[in-house]
Amino acid sequence: MNALLNADLHCHSVVSDGTLTPEALAERARANGVELWALTDHDEVGGQHRARAAAHAQGMKYLTGTEISVTFAGQTVHIVGLGFDPDNTALVEGLRRTRGGRGERAQEMSEGLAKVGIRGAYEGALKYVGNPELISRTHFARFLVETGVCKDTPEVFRKYLTEGKPGFVPHRWARLQDAVQWITGAGGMAVIAHPARYGFTPNEEYALITEFMAHGGRGIEVVTGSHSAQEAQRYAQTALEFGLAASRGSDFHSPDESHTDLGTLPWLPGQLTPVWELLADRIQ
Ligand code: AMP
Ligand code: MN
Ligand code: MN
Ligand code: MN
C-alpha cells in the first residue's frame, strides 16, 4: 500500500462531537471512495466496534482510532491514536479520566456566556450531545448558531469560545506522555493531529515533536482538512526531517459544518512514509 491510497484516518461521530452515527459515516466514506478508514472520536473509543463492523459492511479496511486532548506548554494539543486494541484497560481508563471534568467545564462555560446575556447555553448545548460524557465546545457552537447568535460555528469560536472570550474555560487535559503511552501500550501508533493549528513558535513546536518522539510517538498529520496546501507542504518537510510517518484525514464532523468531506483530500506526497505502511498488520 503506497501513498496513493484513499485513506481517511480522522473524523468524528455522535460518540464525540460529530453529527453522524458511525454507520452513516462509513456509508458516506465509502460513497466518497475511501478504502481505509478510521473513526477518531475525541477522548473516546466507545464507537470502535460499531465503526469496524460498519467499515466491513461497506467493504472498507479499518484502523481503530481516537483523538486525545492533551495539555502541552499551556495549550491544547490533539494526539490521534491509530491501530490500537480498543479494549485495552489502561487506554480505556485513561480516556475515561480525560473525559472527566467536561461536565463541570461546560457549566462554567455556560456561566461565562450568561454574563454576556446568552442564557441557557448548557441546556441548549446538551440537546446536541450524543454522549453525556463528551459535551464539547462544538455542541455550544451548534446551540449559538441555532439561536441566531452567530451565523456559523467558526464565528462562534472566534467571538465566544476561544481564549479570552466569554465562553472559554481553560481545561487541564491529559499529559502528552500519558496519551502517547496509552496508545502505544495498546499496540497502536500515536500521531500529532493538525500541527499547523496550534500557533506554536518554532521552539515550542520543536519541543512538542521531540518530546512526543521521546515518549514513542511516530506519526504526524500532513494532509488534513485543517491544513492549507502550503501547510501540508511544510509538514511534509517536517515529517522527513524528524523521520515521522505521515497521516491523512479529513477531520470531518458534519455535512453542515465541515468544509472537507470524508475521503476528498489531496494525496500524501509520495516521498513520505504513510502511517498505514507501518500499521499494515493492524489493518482489519
Ligand atoms: P473541546 O474539546 O470541547 O475543547 O472542543 C474542541 C472542538 O471544537 C474541536 O475538536 C473542533 O471540533 C472544534 N473547534 C475548535 N476550534 C474551532 C474553530 N475555530 N471553528 C470550528 N470548530 C472549532
Ligand atoms: Mn471536534
Ligand atoms: Mn483536533
Ligand atoms: Mn478531530
Side-chain angles (χ1 to χ4, degrees):
M1 276 186 293
N2 59 13
L4 297 186
L5 177 77
N6 195 343
D8 193 325
L9 305 180
H10 189 151
C11 69
H12 301 273
S13 76
V14 290
V15 174
S16 64
D17 61 348
T19 62
L20 300 183
T21 59
E23 291 76 17
L25 284 169
E27 200 178 324
R28 192 177 181 97
R30 189 62 203 152
N32 289 349
V34 172
E35 296 159 279
L36 173 65
W37 180 51
L39 171 67
T40 56
D41 278 309
H42 296 285
D43 308 324
E44 257 289 13
V45 289
Q48 290 307 307
H49 289 287
R50 277 173 74 183
R52 180 170 55 201
H56 293 167
Q58 296 291 336
M60 289 185 293
K61 303 268 191 210
Y62 191 72
L63 276 170
T64 52
T66 186
E67 182 179 20
I68 308 182
S69 313
V70 159
T71 300
F72 181 83
Q75 286 219 49
T76 299
V77 167
H78 286 168
I79 301 296
V80 161
L82 295 171
F84 49 78
D85 167 13
D87 301 316
N88 179 276
T89 311
L91 171 71
V92 168
E93 192 47 35
L95 293 180
R96 196 187 56 73
R97 283 199 308 276
T98 306
R99 291 193 297 276
R102 276 187 178 268
E104 251 178 59
R105 168 190 186 237
Q107 299 272 10
E108 285 181 49
M109 287 171 63
S110 187
E111 286 160 24
L113 291 169
K115 285 186 188 144
V116 295
I118 299 165
R119 315 247 159 235
Y122 178 74
E123 294 72 19
L126 267 187
K127 285 191 299 178
Y128 292 95
V129 168
N131 173 352
E133 286 182 32
L134 224 122
I135 184 162
S136 91
R137 286 186 289 165
T138 316
H139 302 112
F140 280 85
R142 287 182 189 136
F143 171 67
L144 267 66
V145 171
E146 172 205 279
T147 51
V149 176
C150 292
K151 70 170 197 313
D152 56 22
T153 51
E155 186 188 346
V156 182
F157 276 87
R158 224 169 31 246
K159 291 189 176 163
Y160 294 103
L161 299 182
T162 40
E163 188 144 13
K165 301 300 159 62
F168 183 76
V169 175
H171 194 72
R172 180 70 78 86
W173 302 110
R175 295 190 306 172
L176 178 65
Q177 65 204 77
D178 292 333
V180 173
Q181 180 51 43
W182 298 333
I183 295 163
T184 54
M189 182 193 292
V191 177
I192 298 175
H194 43 63
R197 291 283 68 79
Y198 306 125
F200 281 140
T201 63
N203 278 345
E204 287 169 336
E205 186 176 277
Y206 180 84
L208 170 67
I209 297 174
T210 49
E211 281 195 35
F212 168 77
M213 292 183 76
H215 296 307
R218 296 185 68 192
I220 192 164
E221 285 185 345
V222 170
V223 174
T224 129
S226 49
H227 280 177
S228 66
Q230 271 181 340
E231 288 167 339
Q233 255 182 16
R234 181 166 145 224
Y235 286 98
Q237 205 48 47
T238 305
L240 288 173
E241 273 167 30
F242 286 88
L244 287 163
S247 194
R248 177 180 189 262
S250 57
D251 206 358
F252 181 82
H253 282 70
S254 164
D256 301 327
E257 295 160 13
S258 300
H259 50 88
T260 306
D261 206 338
L262 286 156
T264 64
L265 300 145
W267 300 113
L268 267 192
Q271 72 274 33
L272 303 178
T273 303
V275 291
W276 51 87
E277 212 169 281
L278 303 186
L279 287 167
D281 64 346
R282 301 270 147 199
I283 295 174
Q284 295 175 308

